[in-house]
Amino acid sequence: MEKDILEILEFNEIRKKLAELAPSALSKKMALELLPSSVPEVVEKSLQETEEASVLLEREITTPLGETHDILETLKKAEKGSLLSAKECMDLSNSLDTYKKMHHYFEGERHLQYPALEEISSLLVPQETLISRIHQIFDEHGEVKDQASLKLFRIRTQKETVKSRIRRAFQHILEDKDQAAYLQDAIITQRNGRYVVPVKEEYRYKFSGIVHDRSSTGQTLFMEPMVSVELNNDLAEMTAAEKQEIREILEGLMEEIKKTADVTRNNCRLATDMEFIFAKARLALAMKGVKALHSERGVLDLRKARHPLIPEDRVVPVSMTLGKTFRILIITGSNAGGKTIAIKTAGLLSLMNQSGLFIPAEEGSMLPVYDHIYAIIGDEQSIQDNLSTFSSYITQLVSFLPSAGERDLVLLDELGSGTDPVEGAALAQSVTEYLQMKGAPAIITSHFSEMKKLAYETRGIENAFVEFDEKTLAPTYRLIIGVAGNSNAFNICRRFGMPDVILGRAIQLKNESPLHNMEEVMERLNSQSRDMNREKEEVDKTLRQAEELKNSLESARDEFYRRKDSILEKAREEAETMKRDLRVQSEAIIKDLKKNAAAMNRNKLGDKISDIRGKIDGLNVPGKENRREKLPKDQVKKGTWVYIDTIDSEGTIASVSRNQVQVQCGLIQVKVTADHLFKAKKPKKQEKILPYARKKTMTRSVAAVHTELNVIGKTVDEAIPEVDRFLNECFMAGISPVRIIHGKGTGSLRRGVQDYLRTLNFVTEFHEADPSNGGAGVTEVYF
């Protein structure tokens, strides 16, 4: 794609927006150098990557991205054998950690959900050995660790021993009353890497030692006591040995980096690609963009497309088609009505699509992959070449006109303007017919009536106009295809205060024009078109209402069947319970009958049977429960048998703490507030596990449901599974609200937890707790 078209359509501004969203220097550079492709397979692959990254950003809590740096210069330096600085090593280490994270991120089910991204991540090579070695050498502050080598550990251990001996020797001097009088201050300091004490100048010959420095006033000498000279010499030797050992360690690290430089460089390239893809995804989300459908037949179909460089609160969406029943679209209408914006939108969105970017438009928008996009937009006169506007226009036109073909897109703004109107109109018609003959798709703006007439009379060429509101005398910026528009020059002049005498004469001259009747016809057509559009909007509104009513009825039907199934299921469960009760009691009766049958005579047997029948008739079969009454406050105490409305279950109050009540329901302990407690029927002798509790607790024999979860100190990845289990148990038990204690810290854990809460349908609300209850360190969740 030619560079001048990128400037004409302001694609460079899109690249700048993309670079702002790229996380690293390398991905920012990649964004600024982005070029559209004319290969459909490349475009489709790039769009798929953007789509997967967009879905991942909306669906997942974490991303595969991390801290990366431009390590290319670092690798070159290592390959030349130069020692790297601690910062360079740390930047390399952080980048390698991120490459490793990217490689493992798509393992498991994610490789099926994001195949294009997984393909990139699978090519990354986790450099475990090199990562481990760098971590072994450097601590988190970039300092070389004692454990970097056994020799370094021994040297530093011995060095600390010597330092300790030196401190003891100096401490003895400071505590010696005779020598303390020689000292300016009772302190130990260093000069030239050796430990010294400040000695008053007048006692220099009384204090046994070597002078290493003098104060600015000359009153203080910094002297090394003779008793510590040998120790300081030992310390100096060990310091030199330490530096040498560190150098050898770093040289060994450089060799390892050098051996794997090609792998690291390739990992860097792949990671930059991944970062760039996520920058495209973030741009898509920021623009509320969609993936354009690919048209192999060369059809352009933009639905409510928005120019991405116009603020959202000011842009007017435009819909246009090209390539279905016509391949050339001629847009007419008033000045400043949006003609240029319309063709710029078509061109810029085509460039974005062919760069793997989503376009700001509605779902269903379709674009082909063009080989070339040619455009002449605005006043492009060349002062340097001493060309007029018209000459510059023609120079650009002839540069591509012979090569324009069926797989190209031509955008021409005000074709034929800047010269004699008659000649300009003829030239515009001729160029349009030439493009039609070559089958080149084109969008052309014009004010010539001859161009409108050409579109009405020629198959494959269609009119469109930017609407003008004659009541307000202002453009609406809406593009209407199928009808030509008026220039509305007189209305615009009237709006800006042109004298009536001038306007009157202009209207008179216009009426004498041979094309005057055509203007009247177009005005009538425009009026009819507006009426048809209003009727269409009414029909669309009615259809939307009918669709909404249909969806509402379907939802009501689904809810009816759901409730029906729920009632039937509950009835079946109650019947099973009754059946078990009857079986247990009948077995007891039969056992009693067999036990007493032998001892009975025939006369007493009838009496016994009658007695048994009476017992059976007296079996208590539960019926439909009546509406329950609220449990009085004086009965909210330990041992009261209650009904809990949130889980449709009965149980015994185990404990009461303020407004929190713990109830034992079968094998479940539930904490609820007192307003969820109602009067219950008398408890049965043998309490049974409710079907609800049995289903929800699954394999857990005892479930103690708490209202708080503490995840302080955990990472987001570690905390989310615990939060998930905790919320499921609380929701199952009907407890609301509950509290998640995550602490304040950097805020990353709080953001991770709250991002996860947004994905849960059964969470209706969550917010930070009151300052008295933990403030930003606690999130309260409501179901």
Side-chain angles (χ1 to χ4, degrees):
M1 206 67 72
E2 291 73 9
K3 288 186 178 180
D4 58 345
I5 193 65
L6 305 183
E7 297 176 2
I8 292 171
L9 295 176
E10 299 179 280
F11 184 72
N12 290 332
E13 296 302 317
I14 299 297
R15 295 197 287 198
K16 290 178 184 177
K17 286 180 174 289
L18 187 60
E20 291 174 0
L21 298 172
S24 68
L26 289 175
S27 56
K28 288 181 184 296
K29 181 181 178 183
M30 192 173 182
L32 293 173
E33 295 174 352
L34 175 63
L35 290 174
S37 172
S38 58
V39 181
E41 293 77 15
V42 173
V43 173
E44 181 58 33
K45 185 175 184 297
S46 182
L47 287 171
Q48 182 184 352
E49 293 169 347
T50 305
E51 182 178 32
E52 289 184 9
S54 301
V55 172
L56 188 148
L57 287 175
E58 291 187 308
R59 180 187 297 172
E60 306 288 346
I61 296 176
T62 61
T63 71
L65 304 184
E67 181 182 353
T68 60
H69 301 271
D70 185 353
I71 59 172
L72 299 181
E73 289 301 320
T74 300
L75 295 177
K76 288 181 181 178
K77 189 175 177 181
E79 287 175 322
K80 292 179 181 178
S82 302
L83 288 181
L84 301 180
S85 66
K87 182 181 183 307
E88 289 172 325
C89 291
M90 296 306 294
D91 288 349
L92 177 61
S93 174
N94 292 331
S95 298
L96 294 177
D97 284 335
T98 298
Y99 304 160
K100 176 184 173 182
K101 175 186 175 184
M102 285 184 180
H103 174 77
H104 292 295
Y105 183 85
F106 295 97
E107 293 176 346
E109 294 182 357
R110 284 181 179 148
H111 85 280
L112 298 175
Q113 299 170 348
Y114 314 105
L117 299 180
E118 193 275 337
E119 182 181 351
I120 297 174
S121 71
S122 65
L123 298 175
L124 286 159
V125 179
Q127 296 167 275
E128 303 278 3
T129 304
L130 183 56
I131 293 173
S132 176
R133 182 57 181 151
I134 295 176
H135 287 173
Q136 181 187 359
I137 294 174
F138 293 98
D139 62 17
E140 59 183 3
H141 304 295
E143 300 294 332
V144 177
K145 295 180 180 179
D146 296 346
Q147 293 77 15
S149 75
L150 184 60
K151 183 177 179 180
L152 181 62
F153 179 77
R154 287 199 300 266
I155 291 172
R156 287 184 172 176
T157 302
Q158 294 170 0
K159 190 175 176 182
E160 286 301 316
T161 301
V162 172
K163 284 182 179 179
S164 179
R165 292 174 62 189
I166 291 175
R167 282 193 293 269
R168 286 198 298 271
F170 273 75
Q171 195 64 34
H172 180 73
I173 293 173
L174 296 178
E175 293 174 354
D176 188 319
K177 294 181 180 180
D178 295 332
Q179 297 192 72
Y182 304 150
L183 304 180
Q184 193 73 261
D185 293 295
I187 61 172
I188 305 170
T189 183
Q190 278 190 323
R191 288 294 185 275
N192 303 321
R194 301 178 76 88
Y195 287 97
V196 295
V197 290
V199 178
K200 297 177 182 178
E201 200 277 337
E202 60 266 28
Y203 297 120
R204 65 176 297 178
Y205 296 110
K206 292 185 178 182
F207 186 85
S208 178
I210 301 172
V211 177
H212 283 282
D213 198 5
R214 181 188 295 271
S215 68
S216 59
T217 61
Q219 300 300 312
T220 303
L221 302 176
F222 294 95
M223 300 182 66
E224 177 184 4
M226 293 303 298
V227 295
S228 67
V229 170
E230 289 298 325
L231 291 175
N232 269 325
N233 289 342
D234 292 342
L235 183 62
E237 290 179 7
M238 290 177 187
T239 301
E242 179 186 23
K243 290 181 180 179
Q244 180 60 31
E245 177 60 17
I246 289 175
R247 181 177 182 84
E248 291 178 2
I249 290 171
L250 293 181
E251 286 177 348
L253 178 61
M254 293 311 101
E255 285 300 315
E256 292 185 43
I257 294 173
K258 183 177 179 180
K259 289 177 183 177
T260 59
D262 290 339
V263 175
T264 308
R265 192 176 285 108
N266 189 55
N267 280 347
C268 179
R269 179 185 61 80
L270 293 169
T272 302
D273 289 345
M274 186 76 76
E275 291 174 333
F276 174 67
I277 290 168
F278 275 88
K280 292 193 298 178
R282 289 194 172 96
L283 182 65
L285 295 176
M287 289 184 174
K288 299 177 183 177
V290 300
K291 178 184 176 183
L293 303 176
H294 173 59
S295 172
E296 296 181 356
R297 299 186 298 109
V299 174
L300 178 149
D301 184 7
L302 294 177
R303 303 180 181 182
K304 293 188 177 180
R306 307 179 302 278
H307 195 288
L309 301 180
I310 300 177
E312 189 175 356
D313 58 343
R314 290 171 46 201
V315 67
V316 178
V318 60
S319 298
M320 69 175 71
T321 61
L322 190 69
K324 290 182 178 178
T325 58
F326 55 89
R327 296 184 68 81
I328 295 180
L329 183 66
I330 297 176
I331 303 177
T332 54
S334 61
N335 288 316
K339 299 190 300 297
T340 302
I341 292 297
I343 62 173
K344 275 191 171 184
T345 300
L348 181 54
L349 265 55
S350 296
L351 290 177
M352 290 175 63
N353 176 63
Q354 292 182 217
S355 302
L357 302 176
F358 280 15
I359 61 171
E362 280 195 350
E363 292 284 354
S365 294
M366 181 183 299
L367 285 170
V369 175
Y370 296 109
D371 286 346
H372 301 90
I373 298 178
Y374 303 109
I376 306 178
I377 299 174
D379 185 5
E380 297 291 340
Q381 64 176 318
S382 174
I383 297 175
Q384 181 178 356
D385 296 331
N386 195 26
L387 297 176
S388 67
T389 301
F390 181 73
S391 299
S392 174
Y393 199 109
I394 298 304
T395 300
Q396 296 176 70
L397 189 61
V398 298
S399 68
F400 64 77
L401 205 55
S403 58
E406 296 179 355
R407 294 178 55 84
D408 302 326
L409 176 64
V410 179
L411 306 172
L412 301 176
D413 190 25
E414 302 293 352
L415 176 60
S417 62
T419 187
D420 178 79
V422 176
E423 293 179 349
L427 179 64
Q429 291 180 79
S430 179
V431 170
T432 303
E433 290 172 352
Y434 178 79
L435 290 172
Q436 185 196 28
M437 179 188 70
K438 298 193 69 176
I443 304 176
I444 303 170
T445 69
S446 176
H447 285 286
F448 294 129
S449 296
E450 291 84 352
M451 291 290 284
K452 307 171 188 177
K453 182 172 178 291
L454 176 67
Y456 276 126
E457 295 176 347
T458 308
R459 186 174 182 179
I461 304 178
E462 184 60 88
N463 270 312
F465 79 102
V466 285
E467 191 178 45
F468 187 87
D469 191 332
E470 295 182 0
K471 293 182 180 179
T472 62
L473 301 180
T476 66
Y477 303 102
R478 292 179 56 213
L479 181 68
I480 299 175
I481 296 177
V483 183
N486 297 326
S487 296
N488 291 291
F490 297 157
N491 287 327
I492 294 173
C493 290
R494 185 175 291 109
R495 178 185 173 195
F496 285 99
M498 178 71 72
D500 291 339
V501 62
I502 299 176
L503 281 178
R505 176 56 179 164
I507 292 171
Q508 179 184 354
L509 292 173
K510 175 189 174 185
N511 292 337
E512 296 172 2
S513 168
L515 295 175
H516 172 60
N517 291 334
M518 184 178 176
E519 292 290 332
E520 291 182 349
V521 170
M522 285 189 292
E523 188 172 346
R524 287 197 298 271
L525 287 172
N526 291 343
S527 177
Q528 293 173 4
S529 175
R530 284 191 290 269
D531 292 340
M532 288 178 63
N533 285 333
R534 281 192 291 269
E535 292 176 4
K536 181 177 180 297
E537 288 175 359
E538 289 296 326
V539 171
D540 290 341
K541 182 179 179 181
T542 303
L543 286 175
R544 284 195 301 271
Q545 291 174 345
E547 186 68 24
E548 290 173 359
L549 180 59
K550 176 187 174 186
N551 293 336
S552 177
L553 290 173
E554 288 179 350
S555 298
R557 181 198 63 192
D558 294 342
E559 178 66 15
F560 168 76
Y561 284 126
R562 188 189 66 77
R563 291 193 177 187
K564 178 182 176 183
D565 292 342
S566 176
I567 293 170
L568 290 175
E569 177 65 23
K570 188 173 181 180
R572 281 192 291 269
E573 291 174 352
E574 291 178 352
E576 286 293 331
T577 302
M578 293 168 58
K579 184 177 178 181
R580 285 193 298 271
D581 290 345
L582 287 169
R583 185 178 294 116
V584 171
Q585 296 186 43
S586 62
E587 286 296 329
I589 294 171
I590 292 170
K591 183 178 180 181
D592 186 36
L593 177 61
K594 290 180 178 179
K595 180 180 179 180
N596 294 289
M600 292 181 184
N601 56 36
R602 187 177 298 273
N603 294 329
K604 291 184 179 180
L605 185 58
D607 296 337
K608 189 63 178 177
I609 291 173
S610 298
D611 182 47
I612 291 171
R613 285 176 177 168
K615 289 183 179 179
I616 294 175
D617 291 338
L619 288 176
N620 183 21
V621 179
K624 184 178 180 181
E625 294 182 350
N626 297 323
R627 188 183 299 273
R628 292 174 169 82
E629 297 177 5
K630 290 286 291 184
L631 187 69
K633 290 184 179 179
D634 60 344
Q635 294 185 25
V636 181
K637 57 186 178 180
K638 184 176 180 180
T640 304
W641 182 256
V642 296
Y643 170 79
I644 306 172
D645 63 341
T646 54
I647 62 173
D648 189 24
S649 179
E650 296 179 348
T652 305
I653 295 179
S655 64
V656 180
S657 176
R658 295 184 180 177
N659 197 37
Q660 290 289 322
V661 183
Q662 186 161 314
V663 183
Q664 185 73 38
C665 300
L667 298 182
I668 289 183
Q669 285 187 353
V670 182
K671 278 188 178 180
V672 294
T673 54
D675 56 349
H676 288 296
L677 301 181
F678 294 80
K679 284 186 177 181
K681 294 189 175 183
K682 292 182 180 180
K684 298 174 183 178
K685 291 183 179 179
Q686 185 174 1
E687 196 172 322
K688 294 180 285 297
I689 302 173
L690 295 173
Y692 181 93
R694 183 166 58 252
K695 288 178 183 176
K696 297 295 184 183
T697 56
M698 292 184 287
T699 59
R700 299 182 66 184
S701 59
V702 177
V705 182
H706 301 283
T707 60
E708 287 185 351
L709 173 67
N710 190 329
V711 293
I712 292 177
K714 298 183 182 297
T715 65
V716 174
D717 290 338
E718 292 170 345
I720 292 305
E722 292 192 22
V723 171
D724 182 64
R725 287 193 296 271
F726 170 70
L727 295 178
N728 283 333
E729 291 176 356
C730 295
F731 176 72
M732 178 178 64
I735 301 171
S736 180
V738 297
R739 291 155 48 89
I740 300 174
I741 305 171
H742 42 63
K744 297 178 182 178
T746 63
S748 60
L749 181 56
R750 179 181 70 249
R751 288 192 296 272
V753 169
Q754 293 184 352
D755 286 344
Y756 177 68
L757 292 176
R758 293 187 181 92
T759 67
L760 302 178
N761 294 330
F762 60 85
V763 173
T764 59
E765 179 187 354
F766 65 89
H767 56 71
E768 293 177 0
D770 294 332
S772 60
N773 293 325
V778 178
T779 296
E780 292 184 350
V781 185
Y782 295 78
F783 303 122

